[in-house]
Amino acid sequence: MKWKTSAVTATVAVLLLPSVAACGSDDSAAANGSYRVGLSDPVSSQPLDRAWGQATIAAGKHAGIDVTVLDAALDANKQVSDIDQFVAQQMDGVIVFPLAPNAVDPALERARTAGIKVLGASAIISENEPTEPVAPYDAAFNQNSDVGGARLLADHVAERLDGKGRVLGIGIGAPVPSIKFMVENYEKYVTENRPGIEWLGTVDNATDDQAGGERAATEAIARFRGEIDAVMAYNTASAIGAAVALKRAGINGVVIVGQNGDPEGARAVQQGQIDAIVDLVPWRQGLVGVEIMRRLLAGETVKPVTYLQPELYTQETIGERLDWDEAIRQIESGELTCANGGCPDHLR
């Protein structure tokens, strides 16, 4: 196995669901070209995830796929319940960004046993592209925050620090494997062959929002006596929270970066509150997820994992970013499609 999954364990009550064998893409939905797919969103309160869901729904309408989104609200047990609900509703496919694989995988196996196609979103964690089957998923796509996005930000921070400085990481206070791997790679990439850069450590945002990022940064400022030259946050809300905490402490000149690339983060870069963001382009994830699912439901062979390309923006380049709401509008209208630039070449 070339990839790794979370070592997190959770206690989940497994419900044996009745009448799940006679579902999936072999039913009458396939006959009329209309499919029903459930999307398990890890936390819809996050703009990134909300935009991903909206883009998936919009893209699905052009592909004959009716998408239903359920919000796990950062609760692995809720996510298991949501997947089991999709199975009970006899969905043709399920798309899931797993919060805790050890908890969620049995529910995904139940879905596959029921004939449902299972597509993972940032579910397979690897620095190398897997070529083997990726069960319990039929296929997966990766927003590439953990490797591609981490590398973009690490190189940017190292350049801004001129190869010397003390770097703080902010991770999430939930067992999300891809985010844990992302922050591990922040440390690895920013210090790699750079002896002048020191990784101070990682503090966690317990609430996945700006307030949580501010609390985490405040704790770190006290612990490290304000000797922080850069902050690498897992999301833009945490980056903005760190900027607020540092300003309140009277600490200036800190390089602050984060991922997701939501509109609030874009404004923070424009205004100089934070230094850079990586946009994970959720509207592209919607197009890619629908196209892969369409091919799975049609019985076509797809790559085990498709990696997407995140985009780095600074104050100089932020004007080039395509606004998420505008992109979703274009997907809804049919202007922006997988074929005309929304997907990697092998999916067009």
Side-chain angles (χ1 to χ4, degrees), residues 55-79:
T56 304
I57 291 169
K61 291 177 180 177
H62 294 283
I65 296 175
D66 182 24
V67 178
T68 298
V69 178
L70 293 181
D71 178 13
L74 278 182
D75 184 337
N77 289 340
K78 169 89 167 46
Q79 188 163 58

Side-chain angles (χ1 to χ4, degrees), residues 20-317:
V20 295
C23 60
S25 57
D26 291 331
D27 63 13
S28 59
N32 60 28
S34 176
Y35 296 99
R36 296 163 57 243
V37 169
L39 187 153
S40 175
D41 186 341
V43 51
S44 291
S45 62
Q46 268 293 341
L48 176 78
D49 292 329
R50 188 165 58 251
W52 170 44
Q54 291 169 345
T56 304
I57 291 169
K61 291 177 180 177
H62 294 283
I65 296 175
D66 182 24
V67 178
T68 298
V69 178
L70 293 181
D71 178 13
L74 278 182
D75 184 337
N77 289 340
K78 169 89 167 46
Q79 188 163 58
V80 169
S81 176
D82 290 345
I83 294 167
D84 282 338
Q85 181 176 326
F86 289 144
V87 175
Q89 292 173 336
Q90 301 188 358
M91 293 288 185
D92 298 291
V94 170
I95 304 172
V96 58
F97 187 125
L99 287 168
N102 286 354
V104 173
D105 283 0
L108 298 179
E109 292 287 5
R110 291 193 288 278
R112 293 187 75 189
T113 298
I116 298 171
K117 297 298 182 183
V118 177
L119 176 61
S122 294
I124 305 302
I125 300 172
S126 173
E127 286 192 284
N128 303 307
E129 183 172 318
T131 57
E132 306 167 19
V134 289
Y137 304 95
D138 292 289
F141 65 91
N142 195 319
Q143 65 188 15
N144 205 8
S145 61
D146 46 8
V147 177
R151 175 67 75 180
L152 285 171
L153 287 183
D155 289 346
H156 176 81
V157 168
E159 181 179 352
R160 290 280 283 108
L161 293 179
D162 197 22
K164 298 177 183 178
R166 295 156 58 89
V167 182
L168 173 73
I170 299 182
I172 190 172
V176 183
S178 61
I179 294 178
K180 183 176 185 295
F181 190 48
M182 174 209 300
V183 179
E184 289 173 353
N185 281 339
Y186 281 172
E187 177 181 3
K188 175 182 176 181
Y189 297 154
V190 80
T191 59
E192 198 169 54
N193 301 317
R194 296 174 178 126
I197 293 182
E198 176 188 357
W199 184 262
L200 292 172
T202 301
V203 292
D204 286 337
N205 180 342
T207 53
D208 196 41
D209 57 14
Q210 181 177 323
E214 185 177 345
R215 284 191 293 271
T218 299
E219 172 195 328
I221 290 166
R223 185 193 309 178
F224 300 112
R225 299 181 299 281
E227 297 177 4
I228 300 169
D229 300 301
V231 175
M232 301 184 69
Y234 75 97
N235 67 2
T236 46
S238 298
I240 295 169
V244 171
L246 288 160
K247 182 177 180 180
R248 188 178 58 243
I251 301 170
N252 301 309
V254 178
V255 178
I256 305 171
V257 300
Q259 297 204 59
N260 285 7
D262 51 68
E264 187 175 16
R267 285 191 296 273
V269 170
Q270 285 175 324
Q271 296 166 4
Q273 187 179 19
I274 63 177
D275 198 74
I277 56 172
V278 160
D279 187 345
L280 299 178
V281 201
W283 54 264
R284 186 177 296 147
Q285 294 178 49
L287 287 168
V288 167
V290 165
E291 178 59 19
I292 295 174
M293 179 58 74
R294 184 194 67 77
R295 296 186 184 201
L296 288 173
L297 292 170
E300 299 179 25
T301 300
V302 300
K303 290 176 64 172
V305 182
T306 293
Y307 285 86
L308 307 186
Q309 183 56 51
E311 299 170 358
L312 175 73
Y313 292 107
T314 64
Q315 196 168 34
E316 292 72 32
T317 61

